[in-house]
Amino acid sequence: MKKTTLKYYFLLLFSCFLCLGTSASKFSKTRIPENCSNFVLIQGSSNVNRFEFIHEAPQLVSDENKKNRLIWKQKVIVPVDEFTGSNQLMRKDFLDLLNASEYPVIQIEIEPETNQGNSATADNQAVNATITLAGNTHEYLVPCEVSSCETSEIIIKGSLKVNLTDFNIKPPQKVLGAIKVNDEVFITFAFKHEFVR
């Protein structure tokens, strides 16, 4: 009985590694959208492969203070089930990981860091980012690149590393613990912000 169970386990394990190894070998970096496009890209990995999912149309909520280029806020709503990726099985796992059925959106709020002193330039500045994911909120200080987009718009691009455990998400394991998702996830974003002249 034990030999049969052990054979079945190794056959299942081998099949999973073969399948995941194939998807990892076909991994190609997602095309980052054009310069003035909004997007949120989430990248992560396990001990056997990498994954990435992109949302190219996050909803930007209007800022009440559109005249002041020093004091502004940008709120962004990202429907979780609208993220796309090349592997549909991994996408399903991603939606389960973020508990999309109970928490269907990721919310991001950004505003300039007020205590930057002389370190900030017109092109580079830090922003405070408040991210709500799977019902939990965490704050980060994110270095960003700021550039002109159109006559009254700027585009804010940033990248940060977060831990799933920051949001009380336990990194999942599969195949009796043989496949483990890493706690670190990388979020890259670009959001337009419009000012009224």
Side-chain angles (χ1 to χ4, degrees):
M1 181 72 175
K2 281 187 175 181
K3 285 186 178 180
T4 305
T5 305
L6 196 57
K7 282 182 183 178
Y8 176 73
Y9 170 74
F10 281 117
L11 181 61
L12 181 63
L13 184 63
F14 177 74
S15 298
C16 286
F17 277 116
L18 185 62
C19 179
L20 290 171
T22 301
S23 66
S25 66
K26 291 181 180 177
F27 179 85
S28 61
K29 189 167 181 172
T30 298
R31 180 188 60 81
I32 298 294
E34 299 280 325
N35 185 37
C36 284
S37 298
N38 301 308
F39 71 87
V40 177
L41 173 68
I42 298 179
Q43 299 173 298
S45 62
S46 72
N47 57 330
V48 295
N49 67 355
R50 298 182 290 174
F51 60 87
E52 60 182 26
F53 299 96
I54 191 165
H55 194 296
E56 295 189 61
Q59 177 188 351
L60 304 183
V61 179
S62 277
D63 179 18
E64 294 176 4
N65 186 4
K66 287 192 170 186
K67 292 187 178 180
N68 193 327
R69 291 181 178 258
L70 298 175
I71 304 170
W72 54 268
K73 290 183 182 180
Q74 182 66 68
K75 183 176 179 181
V76 184
I77 305 293
V78 189
V80 177
D81 65 355
E82 293 178 10
F83 275 93
T84 59
S86 59
N87 186 315
Q88 287 303 307
L89 289 175
M90 291 178 71
R91 183 179 176 276
K92 182 185 180 306
D93 290 342
F94 173 73
L95 296 178
D96 290 343
L97 175 70
L98 299 185
N99 198 1
S101 58
E102 189 171 348
Y103 303 103
V105 299
I106 298 171
Q107 184 172 302
I108 304 171
E109 294 183 34
I110 59 173
E111 61 184 317
E113 165 61 27
T114 55
N115 299 319
Q116 295 185 78
N118 295 327
S119 61
T121 66
D123 295 334
N124 296 288
Q125 60 179 274
V127 299
N128 291 313
T130 303
I131 301 174
T132 301
L133 175 68
N136 294 281
T137 301
H138 202 80
E139 294 182 4
Y140 300 91
L141 185 63
V142 185
C144 288
E145 176 187 324
V146 180
S147 56
S148 295
C149 189
E150 294 175 7
T151 55
S152 61
E153 292 178 335
I154 58 170
I155 189 96
I156 303 136
K157 295 180 180 178
S159 186
L160 71 153
K161 177 181 73 175
V162 304
N163 292 331
L164 293 172
T165 49
D166 290 346
F167 299 93
N168 293 327
I169 297 173
K170 184 178 179 182
Q173 299 182 9
K174 293 205 165 199
V175 194
L176 302 175
I179 301 171
K180 300 176 182 179
V181 172
N182 295 322
D183 191 21
E184 291 182 346
V185 172
F186 298 88
I187 300 175
T188 303
F189 62 82
F191 304 132
K192 285 192 286 192
H193 187 83
E194 183 178 2
F195 294 100
V196 175
R197 290 180 179 268

